[in-house]
Amino acid sequence: MKKFSLTIILLLLPLLLSAQQKAKYVFYFIGDGMGFNHVSVTEYWLGHIEGVFDSRPLAFSQFPVLGWAVTHSASNLITDSAAAGTALSTGSKTDNGMLGVAPDTTKLESIASKIHNAGYKVGISSTVGINHATPGAFYGHNASRSNYYDIAMEIPGSGFEFFAGGGVIECTGEEGDKASVYDFIEKNGYVIAEGMDEFHGMKAGAGKMMLLQEDGRMKTELPYAIDMKDGDMTQADLVKASIDFLYDGDGQGFFVMSEGGRIDWASHGNDTKTMILETLSLSEAVAEAVKFYNEHPDETLIVVTADHETGGLTMSWKSGYDVYFDKIENIGKSKDFASDEERRAMDEASHAAHIGWTTGDHSGANVPVFAIGAGSSLFSGRMDNTEIPKKICEAMGITF
């Protein structure tokens, strides 16, 4: 009996330790629009390009903890990104189109603010505009997600140490008649670096920083992975820069939110190969966090999820049991840069590959939650998306 009890304890010990360990370093990845089938299609694509009759795992699909999240908003069974971002950042439901506020417009506090107030450094990054719905939900408050200028003007007030990614949408207002958001950010103590070379040259001594791509003040998102040229900044670069800027040895911990925003955009366009490469880009970014986790396994938590599913994606088309990834191999650009004729050819290639899309918008499908590290056992099983930020705070020992 004693031997049997000892065996049970040894088997349960990893989960018990995971629950007891306090997360000091937290990575929160949000694959915008990434449903279970986005992961499956991408894994089978990897198997195809490796020449095997099988799938190949992504960096996060190998995590030991798997859950799934319900994504409806307060107003709709199918959420938009603003309401979903608010749920993932504040632990509260709101109406579609609203950002960082309750349906009655009461301001909600994000976990990034809670964590920052608890003494941790904070980094927010995205492959799309820093004042877009998902990143904006971690510092902004507005009855309309479309008030980009006002949302961006809240960046300095957050006090967060690091912002990175695409530029600011409508940085001088919708009509171009307002003071530059970038000037306001700099006046409030942020150093703005454009490109990785400037980042490495300017980070020393900078208390707070915003990292944009080269000529980033003139742009609002990173290029799609399929359209990238040598030297273009990737989501993995953003994560590496976040770690580089926020990690200070054995001192302060940090919280990093990193969004792969263009998975959603590619899925809205039913752009199969572009979506696959964006999902791979997210995987490569997560791999950078995994490297950090391997050096600090007892103090690091990585959570990967999505705000909603986009496109109603399925690895099937009409009928049959075969998929033909070779039909999309030769596509070399995103639909953003394709002519109408090329767009039609891309759609036909997806159908020929037997990759199906049911909508050009979001769906109500539940989304995956992958986790590893300190407190990761909290993320197993079915949950509402509002529970995810609460569980992150619990893992860190922070009162929600």
Side-chain angles (χ1 to χ4, degrees):
M1 184 68 180
K2 288 183 179 179
K3 183 178 180 180
F4 177 76
S5 299
L6 180 60
T7 301
I8 294 296
I9 290 171
L10 290 173
L11 287 171
L12 292 176
L13 188 58
L15 285 177
L16 292 172
L17 288 174
S18 171
Q20 293 172 355
Q21 290 162 349
K22 182 178 176 181
K24 181 177 179 181
Y25 307 108
V26 175
F27 296 89
Y28 191 12
F29 289 94
I30 299 173
D32 197 311
M34 183 185 73
F36 281 98
N37 279 349
H38 290 69
V39 177
S40 295
V41 170
T42 304
E43 291 193 333
Y44 276 107
W45 166 261
L46 284 179
H48 167 73
I49 63 175
E50 290 182 18
V52 297
F53 187 69
D54 199 353
S55 62
R56 286 292 181 261
L58 304 180
F60 50 86
S61 61
Q62 301 178 89
F63 286 0
V65 178
L66 173 63
W68 65 327
V70 178
T71 65
H72 71 86
S73 70
S75 59
N76 299 77
L77 290 180
I78 300 176
T79 188
D80 82 327
S81 289
T86 299
L88 292 175
S89 64
T90 71
S92 295
K93 297 284 188 184
T94 195
D95 293 347
N96 280 8
M98 303 182 81
L99 189 74
V101 296
D104 65 0
T105 72
T106 302
K107 287 185 178 181
L108 300 169
E109 185 180 18
S110 79
I111 58 165
S113 294
K114 291 180 186 291
I115 292 167
H116 196 248
N117 291 336
Y120 296 82
K121 294 181 180 180
V122 171
I124 304 295
S125 65
S126 176
T127 59
V128 299
I130 294 173
N131 54 339
H132 212 273
T134 302
F138 283 83
Y139 64 83
H141 312 83
N142 207 286
S144 173
R145 60 177 288 179
S146 299
N147 289 332
Y148 293 116
Y149 183 83
D150 293 339
I151 293 165
M153 290 294 278
E154 291 194 67
I155 288 173
S158 71
F160 301 162
E161 286 76 12
F162 191 72
F163 288 88
V168 173
I169 304 167
E170 297 176 7
C171 66
T172 56
E174 189 174 1
E175 304 298 327
D177 57 350
K178 297 182 179 180
S180 168
V181 171
Y182 293 120
D183 290 345
F184 182 68
I185 289 170
E186 287 180 311
K187 287 176 182 176
N188 280 274
Y190 285 81
V191 173
I192 299 179
E194 295 185 69
M196 296 304 294
D197 289 342
E198 277 197 9
F199 167 73
H200 290 298
M202 300 169 73
K203 66 180 181 178
K208 292 180 288 187
M209 177 169 267
M210 176 178 283
L211 169 62
L212 307 174
Q213 59 197 308
E214 290 187 11
D215 301 321
R217 298 182 200 223
M218 307 299 294
K219 303 172 183 175
T220 54
E221 61 272 335
L222 303 190
Y224 283 115
I226 198 170
D227 298 322
M228 280 190 174
K229 302 177 179 63
D230 289 343
D232 282 337
M233 201 159 60
T234 66
Q235 188 177 359
D237 288 328
L238 303 183
V239 173
K240 285 189 284 187
S242 298
I243 296 169
D244 192 359
F245 192 76
L246 298 173
Y247 178 63
D248 60 359
D250 295 326
Q252 241 173 326
F254 61 69
F255 169 83
V256 169
M257 191 292 293
S258 177
E259 183 204 20
R262 305 204 82 179
I263 299 171
D264 175 64
W265 293 17
S267 298
H268 275 293
N270 296 171
D271 189 347
T272 301
K273 188 173 178 183
T274 299
M275 176 280 294
I276 289 170
L277 296 185
E278 288 303 303
T279 306
L280 286 175
S281 181
L282 172 65
S283 178
E284 290 161 4
V286 174
E288 293 299 325
V290 171
K291 290 177 187 176
F292 184 90
Y293 162 81
N294 288 335
E295 296 173 356
H296 310 273
D298 297 333
E299 299 178 297
T300 303
L301 169 66
I302 307 174
V303 178
V304 182
T305 190
D307 51 354
H308 52 73
E309 195 272 355
T310 302
L313 175 65
T314 179
M315 202 164 73
S316 177
W317 173 248
K318 289 189 174 180
S319 62
Y321 296 93
D322 295 304
V323 178
Y324 306 98
F325 282 108
D326 59 297
K327 301 297 185 182
I328 59 172
E329 267 186 348
N330 294 326
I331 294 172
K333 65 175 77 169
S334 70
K335 283 188 176 176
D336 279 10
F337 294 95
S339 65
D340 289 343
E341 184 178 348
E342 288 170 326
R343 284 169 175 259
R344 285 192 292 272
M346 288 176 173
D347 290 336
E348 290 170 4
S350 290
H351 295 162
H354 283 198
I355 303 297
W357 300 88
T358 63
T359 179
D361 218 321
H362 302 172
S363 78
N366 295 336
V367 296
V369 183
F370 304 92
I372 190 172
S376 59
S377 60
L378 295 167
F379 299 89
S380 177
R382 183 187 187 277
M383 68 197 80
D384 191 84
N385 57 2
T386 57
E387 295 178 57
I388 299 174
K390 298 172 185 176
K391 291 175 184 291
I392 289 174
C393 283
E394 183 178 349
M396 299 182 77
I398 295 171
T399 302
F400 188 85

